[in-house]
Amino acid sequence: MARLKVGVLISGRGSNLQALIDAAADPAYPAEIAVVISNRRDAAGLARAAAAGIPHIVAPETDRAAFAAAADRALRDAGVGLVALAGFMRLLDEGFVAAWTDRLVNIHPSLLPAFPGLHAQRQALAAGVKFSGCTVHFVRAAVDTGPIIAQAVVAVADGDDEARLADRILAAEHRLYPLAVRLFAEGRLRIVGNQVAVAGGAAPALAALNPSETLT
Ligand code: GRF
């Protein structure tokens, strides 16, 4: 069966892009990365695309509409059925979001709707929460909003700093994004209002306490 073609938009490091590339290396994975688009020429993720033999382009940053037009053309030329934002740090043109609605997803390093925007891990530490995590969601016009597809929970440890918490959340991101893209590719996501129903999906029966109740 033909695999879903995914276009990935990046601005930097591209470790989530790498997680998707690695997942797609398995022929049984139902999606493949067809094109990578960066708004920055110096994005390290471009080298990851090159190393994997994936077409990649830098779209002009002159203005938001010009970027959107160039990205849209490249995505359509590549036959993309899903656009995944992976550390893409520019606000998207509203027309682009509307054109790709329900076929445009993002990953964010918090349990949305908590801590949208920049420095989500720093916001979590400042708020003193005991758990944070990451979220994959369909993109809507407002930043870091839209129906939630999947989340991973990461406990905040005493003495965590932003870098340590971000590292543990990132490790969860690298598991969560390939899962969410797989569920989309398998046609198992149904958007009902602001919620996403996952066919065959089951929530784990867990209640994690932080601090753990086994503390002595
Ligand atoms: C990730 O934490 C992602 O959740 C956020 O930006 C970071 C991108 O990292 N949107 P990378 O470029 O995928 O390594």
Side-chain angles (χ1 to χ4, degrees):
M1 206 179 90
R3 304 208 288 173
L4 173 77
K5 289 185 165 51
V6 179
V8 182
L9 268 59
I10 62 167
S11 298
R13 183 176 55 184
S15 70
N16 278 291
L17 165 65
Q18 188 67 56
L20 293 171
I21 291 172
D22 292 348
D26 178 351
Y29 190 75
E32 64 185 292
I33 314 304
V35 63
V36 172
I37 303 170
S38 174
N39 63 322
R40 296 188 54 128
R41 199 163 292 285
D42 60 355
L46 288 168
R48 299 178 189 270
I54 296 168
H56 48 287
I57 64 162
V58 179
E61 266 217 286
T62 39
D63 66 67
R64 202 171 289 166
F67 176 85
D72 190 78
R73 200 172 319 115
L75 292 163
R76 290 184 196 283
D77 286 352
V80 159
L82 175 70
V83 180
L85 308 182
F88 181 69
M89 300 304 286
R90 281 270 291 197
L91 287 179
L92 279 168
D93 174 89
E94 271 186 33
F96 182 93
V97 174
W100 289 92
T101 194
D102 298 350
R103 294 179 301 154
L104 175 60
V105 296
N106 180 45
I107 188 157
H108 182 77
S110 75
L111 293 174
L112 290 173
F115 316 131
L118 292 174
H119 309 302
Q121 304 91 340
R122 192 185 303 172
Q123 293 185 57
L125 288 173
V129 295
K130 297 295 186 190
F131 291 100
S132 190
C134 49
T135 302
V136 178
H137 63 97
F138 286 107
V139 172
R140 295 292 182 258
V143 170
D144 298 329
T145 66
I148 290 170
I149 300 167
Q151 293 186 307
V153 168
V154 173
V156 178
D158 281 347
D160 256 350
D161 60 16
E162 192 179 344
R164 273 201 297 268
L165 179 60
D167 277 354
R168 294 206 309 287
I169 292 176
L170 194 63
E173 291 182 45
H174 296 162
R175 295 168 58 195
L176 193 70
Y177 220 174
L179 169 64
V181 168
R182 174 165 76 81
L183 295 173
F184 181 95
E186 290 172 345
R188 288 162 67 171
L189 305 180
R190 192 165 48 91
I191 304 174
V192 185
N194 197 38
Q195 298 182 350
V196 178
V198 181
L206 68 80
L209 279 58
N210 181 11
S212 161
E213 64 215 298
T214 61
L215 85 176
T216 48

